[in-house]
Amino acid sequence: MDKRSSLVGANEEIGIISGLDIKGEEKVKSSIKEFSRFGLVTFSRLHSFKSTKYSIHFIKPIAKLKQLYNLGDEVLILCCNDNFSNFKSRTKDFLDFLLMTNSEFKNRLDKLTCFLIDDCDNIAELVKKDRIDNPDARLIVPFSYNELRGGLTDDILQSRLRVFLYERDLFGVASPLQNDNLFFGKDRTNVISELYGKYRQGEHGGLFGLRRIGKTSILNLLKLRVEQSGGVVFYFDCTKYHHLRWNEFLRQIIVDLQNKYAYDPNSEGVSLPKEYYIDTSINDYSGSHAALSFENDIKKLFNAFSQQRILLIFDEIEQISYETSSSEHWKNGSDSLYFWQTLRAISQTDRRLISFVITGVNPKCIENSKINGNDNPIFNILTPQYITLFDYADVKAMISDIGRHLGLLFDEEIYSKLIEDYGGHPFLTRQVCSRINSDVLNKNEPRPYKVSRFSYDKCADEYRTQMEAVITQILGVLEDYYPEEYKLLKTLALQGSSTFKRSLTYGDSSIAHLLGYCLIIKNDDDYYIRISSIGDYLRNKYRYDAILTEMEQKIERINQRRYSLENKLRSLIAITLKSKYGRKAVENLVKIVSKNTTDKTQSGKLQKLELKKAMQELYFSQLKTLIGNDWKNYQTIFEDRMKFEQFFDLINKFRVDAHSKTINEEDEAMLNIAFKFFESKLSDI
């Protein structure tokens, strides 16, 4: 009789449930017997999927494993003979089939974690490589039949679980989700249902929000919903298509649909019979005939797909929209007009044929009434939906659930602090938790590990700094495509609600967009930045743009900018000297300074100091001399020598200190231009 595992509690039931016949070959039965030492095997069945046979088994893990690795009440054990050759195309599809939300086992099995047993001896390494390409895939804990023949010990099982669960940073997943494994947010589930409902009714949908808010993940799950219902759907990332003319894009829609649904005898979904293929190369998609050709081809595909409505999803809609596209023919030409005229005419003629969803940052493309003086075909054609931020319950559910799979437990207060700092923005919140997970990993702390509110408070400022690059990316789309909205947001951050309200103009939709993004919030007729880390980011980035009225404040700000500039210039020069002269950096510094000064005392003092301290002894004007003496090494940074010298002299001329009384508006404006020149050039120093 096998020795009872030390992980098993005194009264816990393990083994194989009475009367259950384990399905599969002898190697399968032997492997399941090894697993049964760590739980109760409750189910066994043979199953064929895409011409491949599998045996599936369910196990109720013992309490210790459930606690340590956040396993569900029952976990799938999938036994196969793939040698991993079909893993990506077949076995993973089968896992999705078994564990997806509408499966017969949806309320029974852990939807995220499962065990996989395969003939391949290096299955563990292959699964590791695969999850690099698919970071949001299910948590697969692999074993080979050969290693299980030697017995499954406590150490082997726990070591494998730690490697494939704890060492994978689920918080750090940055790519859009391809399934619902890590999908959270009750409102987002409702959005998918609403968009799916519009598709079923032949209506159109619009989904809007900032980058990194989760639009593409929602679209991916909408695609799954349509496909699981037997529908036809294609996702177009318009950043890949805007270089095409409007008629070429119409042709490409037909080509892409056919390629996606090309005939596959093993497909369990929609598949296009070969006799229905359309040769678009012989069809007339020239400007005057494109609309009619596209309509005819769509009708043919509709019939070939057993009259299933075709859903077209257009993401990054700015790229094929009037005024915002990167391509001239969409931005200032009439391509957007002709493209949407075609799609709208088809959907109005026969609602059974197509439905479309457009997604982007904001719904300007449906708010503009005109395109090049012509009526916009999609003006007010749909009601835009904005993606909202997470509330407390959503943040807690996401962080606690993902955290438990990583062996992290969080103090209750941390959820409130994350809401306060990051406003319920799911990506920002997860990225901060990813940093927390890295900190725990670097300290080599045993797991499960409790993250206290004190440890979060201690690192909160550092986390905010680390999030600046993400915030830059989130706000970058406003700065690039919708500068007026970005300017308003900046005004609110720097000047407050009163100035912000005075900046609004009648009929401007910017306020509705900013509210829709959840970047700002209105309370008692005043407006506030909703995400404090974004407010801090804007105030820090544009700290010198705030309008000051008190002279003392103006002088203090000028001094701060000059002090910051001096330090950056000293660092830059020190780095350059060290790189060029190595240990003789100070010696060469003294030579240059001595040539341009009669102060022998300073030269003698510099010779006795290390480079860093020597740089601090230089006058501000001497920094210009050092750079000018070796301009070729600084030219790539400052580019224009005349501007460099003029702006440097200007800052040196208007030295304002404690003895200064006033500075006029003209001088202040000139200084601001000079400072901005240096601040932009030295931003990375």
Side-chain angles (χ1 to χ4, degrees):
M1 185 175 179
D2 292 332
K3 181 181 177 182
R4 189 178 178 90
S5 166
S6 61
L7 298 173
V8 181
N11 299 316
E12 284 193 282
E13 190 176 3
I14 60 172
I16 299 173
I17 196 168
S18 177
L20 180 65
D21 179 24
I22 300 299
K23 307 295 183 182
E25 304 173 39
E26 280 304 314
K27 62 183 179 182
V28 171
K29 295 179 180 180
S30 174
S31 298
I32 296 302
K33 183 180 178 182
E34 289 298 319
F35 270 93
S36 71
R37 298 176 56 242
F38 301 94
L40 182 65
V41 179
T42 60
F43 181 89
S44 182
R45 178 191 290 179
L46 293 176
H47 202 297
S48 292
F49 183 80
K50 293 185 178 180
S51 71
T52 301
K53 291 184 178 180
Y54 300 91
S55 59
I56 60 175
H57 318 272
F58 302 167
I59 185 171
K60 288 186 175 181
I62 57 176
K64 190 68 173 178
L65 293 180
K66 289 176 66 174
Q67 174 193 356
L68 286 173
Y69 304 103
N70 192 34
L71 301 177
D73 288 334
E74 288 186 281
V75 180
L76 172 69
I77 305 175
L78 178 62
C79 297
C80 51
N81 302 302
D82 271 352
N83 273 322
F84 206 75
S85 59
N86 294 318
F87 180 77
K88 291 185 179 180
S89 61
R90 194 157 299 174
T91 303
K92 287 173 65 179
D93 287 346
F94 185 44
L95 285 173
D96 288 339
F97 171 77
L98 291 172
L99 300 175
M100 65 187 181
T101 54
N102 62 348
S103 162
E104 62 177 302
F105 310 120
K106 65 178 179 179
N107 295 321
R108 187 170 177 180
L109 289 172
D110 186 316
K111 74 171 186 176
L112 190 59
T113 306
C114 62
F115 294 100
L116 173 70
I117 308 175
D118 192 271
D119 267 326
C120 183
D121 287 335
N122 66 330
I123 184 69
E125 292 304 314
L126 293 171
V127 171
K128 279 184 181 179
K129 291 179 181 177
D130 179 72
R131 73 183 188 184
I132 293 173
D133 298 328
N134 303 279
D136 67 328
R138 301 187 190 280
L139 296 174
I140 299 172
V141 183
F143 289 90
S144 70
Y145 289 114
N146 279 338
E147 63 183 321
L148 290 176
R149 286 191 181 99
L152 185 59
T153 65
D154 295 1
D155 289 342
I156 291 174
L157 177 59
Q158 289 219 70
S159 174
R160 190 63 52 88
L161 284 165
R162 280 193 293 268
V163 168
F164 283 87
L165 301 185
Y166 287 170
E167 294 183 14
R168 178 177 170 189
D169 184 8
L170 296 176
F171 284 125
V173 174
S175 56
L177 302 178
Q178 300 297 322
N179 51 55
D180 63 353
N181 295 342
L182 300 175
F183 190 76
F184 298 90
K186 51 186 178 295
D187 287 343
R188 294 167 185 236
T189 302
N190 294 336
V191 168
I192 295 171
S193 296
E194 289 181 34
L195 291 174
Y196 178 73
K198 290 179 184 296
Y199 158 71
R200 297 293 294 176
Q201 296 298 319
E203 299 174 357
H204 311 300
L207 187 64
F208 303 94
L210 295 177
R211 282 186 182 142
R212 295 297 190 179
I213 197 68
K215 295 191 298 295
T216 306
S217 296
I218 289 175
L219 297 176
N220 287 340
L221 293 177
L222 173 62
K223 283 167 47 187
L224 281 177
R225 180 87 173 265
V226 172
E227 289 167 345
Q228 289 167 4
S229 69
V232 178
V233 56
F234 198 90
Y235 167 88
F236 297 91
D237 180 348
C238 294
T239 59
K240 300 176 183 177
Y241 295 90
H242 67 84
H243 63 283
L244 298 175
R245 297 303 303 264
W246 70 277
N247 51 319
E248 294 170 337
F249 193 2
L250 291 175
R251 183 204 297 269
Q252 194 62 42
I253 290 174
I254 302 298
V255 171
D256 287 346
L257 281 168
Q258 292 192 143
N259 289 340
K260 176 178 178 180
Y261 292 99
Y263 179 71
D264 179 1
N266 293 318
S267 173
E268 299 194 358
V270 176
S271 189
L272 185 66
K274 293 181 180 178
E275 60 267 25
Y276 287 102
Y277 274 33
I278 300 166
D279 187 354
T280 59
S281 65
I282 63 175
N283 291 353
D284 190 354
Y285 270 84
S286 62
S288 58
H289 294 89
L292 185 59
S293 294
F294 179 75
E295 182 176 10
N296 290 334
D297 287 346
I298 278 290
K299 287 179 178 178
K300 291 176 184 177
L301 288 181
F302 172 73
N303 289 318
F305 291 139
S306 303
Q307 296 195 340
Q308 289 291 326
R309 181 179 290 111
I310 300 169
L311 176 62
L312 306 175
I313 299 175
F314 299 101
D315 196 7
E316 300 288 349
I317 196 65
E318 282 81 10
Q319 291 299 326
I320 61 165
S321 292
Y322 184 58
E323 296 183 337
T324 58
S325 175
S326 300
S327 294
E328 185 67 20
H329 46 274
W330 294 94
K331 183 176 184 178
N332 294 312
S334 296
D335 280 40
S336 182
L337 174 70
Y338 300 145
F339 182 80
W340 290 116
Q341 279 179 342
T342 303
L343 290 183
R344 180 167 184 178
I346 292 172
S347 64
Q348 285 183 322
T349 302
D350 189 345
R351 292 176 59 183
R352 298 178 306 153
L353 297 176
I354 65 170
S355 172
F356 55 79
V357 172
I358 57 178
T359 71
V361 176
N362 80 31
K364 183 178 181 181
C365 61
I366 61 170
E367 292 175 344
N368 287 338
S369 61
K370 300 288 184 180
I371 297 178
N372 268 345
N374 298 285
D375 289 341
N376 180 1
I378 54 172
F379 174 63
N380 283 344
I381 194 174
L382 53 86
T383 302
Q385 288 178 278
Y386 286 93
I387 303 179
T388 59
L389 299 175
F390 280 9
D391 60 17
Y392 179 88
D394 290 330
V395 168
K396 181 177 179 180
M398 177 177 69
I399 300 308
S400 60
D401 190 36
I402 295 177
R404 282 194 298 269
H405 281 96
L406 297 176
L408 296 178
L409 305 174
F410 291 83
D411 272 354
E412 192 79 18
E413 295 92 334
I414 291 180
Y415 306 128
S416 297
K417 291 181 178 295
L418 286 169
I419 286 280
E420 181 180 344
D421 290 345
Y422 302 100
H425 191 291
F427 185 77
L428 281 171
T429 303
R430 287 201 315 273
Q431 290 301 302
V432 171
C433 291
S434 175
R435 301 303 194 278
I436 294 173
N437 181 57
S438 296
D439 291 344
V440 174
L441 188 65
N442 292 336
K443 294 175 184 176
N444 202 26
E445 297 283 0
R447 307 204 188 196
Y449 177 81
K450 185 68 172 286
V451 182
S452 72
R453 63 184 179 90
F454 303 108
S455 62
Y456 176 82
D457 287 341
K458 182 179 179 180
C459 300
D461 289 341
E462 181 183 347
Y463 295 147
R464 284 191 179 224
T465 301
Q466 292 172 344
M467 290 303 106
E468 286 183 359
V470 181
I471 292 173
T472 299
Q473 185 184 39
I474 290 171
L475 296 182
V477 69
L478 289 188
E479 195 171 10
D480 294 340
Y481 293 122
Y482 308 104
E484 290 304 314
E485 294 178 14
Y486 187 77
K487 183 179 178 182
L488 277 174
L489 185 67
K490 190 172 116 180
T491 298
L492 181 58
L494 298 179
Q495 306 299 133
S497 181
S498 297
T499 305
F500 173 80
K501 288 190 290 185
R502 288 196 298 270
S503 302
L504 300 176
T505 57
Y506 179 76
D508 188 356
S509 59
S510 296
I511 184 68
H513 295 162
L514 290 172
L515 288 167
Y517 305 145
C518 298
L519 280 175
I520 69 174
I521 189 170
K522 186 178 182 181
N523 184 49
D524 291 336
D525 202 39
D526 278 320
Y527 295 90
Y528 304 90
I529 300 286
R530 181 166 178 171
I531 303 174
S532 64
S533 57
I534 287 182
D536 291 344
Y537 166 87
L538 289 168
R539 283 186 286 272
N540 181 60
K541 182 176 181 179
Y542 300 104
R543 59 189 179 278
Y544 301 130
D545 289 5
I547 299 173
L548 303 178
T549 56
E550 298 296 329
M551 186 55 60
E552 290 180 358
Q553 293 177 327
K554 292 182 179 182
I555 292 172
E556 181 182 357
R557 183 165 69 182
I558 290 171
N559 284 334
Q560 288 175 350
R561 297 178 83 170
R562 188 176 185 278
Y563 178 74
S564 175
L565 171 59
E566 281 196 45
N567 284 336
K568 289 193 173 190
L569 287 174
R570 293 180 200 277
S571 296
L572 174 63
I573 294 168
I575 292 169
T576 305
L577 289 171
K578 186 72 174 177
S579 174
K580 189 173 182 180
Y581 300 111
R583 294 180 180 179
K584 295 186 177 182
V586 174
E587 179 182 332
N588 282 275
L589 170 66
V590 173
K591 286 181 181 179
I592 299 169
V593 170
S594 298
K595 287 180 182 179
N596 295 278
T597 183
T598 57
D599 187 352
K600 302 302 180 185
T601 304
Q602 184 191 37
S603 298
K605 186 176 182 180
L606 292 176
Q607 289 176 338
K608 301 175 183 178
L609 300 174
E610 61 179 3
L611 181 60
K612 185 176 180 180
K613 291 183 178 179
M615 290 303 306
Q616 296 302 317
E617 293 296 323
L618 299 176
Y619 302 117
F620 184 62
S621 58
Q622 290 176 312
L623 303 182
K624 176 189 173 185
T625 301
L626 286 166
I627 292 174
N629 186 75
D630 193 15
W631 177 252
K632 64 180 180 180
N633 279 313
Y634 299 94
Q635 188 171 5
T636 55
I637 296 175
F638 298 109
E639 298 175 345
D640 189 324
R641 184 164 186 169
M642 183 176 293
K643 278 188 178 180
F644 166 81
E645 292 178 347
Q646 288 177 342
F647 289 147
F648 194 103
D649 291 341
L650 186 65
I651 292 172
N652 193 41
K653 175 183 176 182
F654 289 104
R655 296 188 63 181
V656 288
D657 52 33
H659 302 290
S660 300
K661 299 295 183 182
T662 61
I663 181 170
N664 62 46
E665 290 184 6
E666 184 179 350
D667 290 343
E668 185 183 9
M670 292 171 62
L671 275 172
N672 188 46
I673 294 172
F675 277 125
K676 283 192 172 183
F677 169 81
F678 283 105
E679 287 161 359
S680 65
K681 302 298 184 185
L682 300 172
S683 59
D684 294 331
I685 302 299

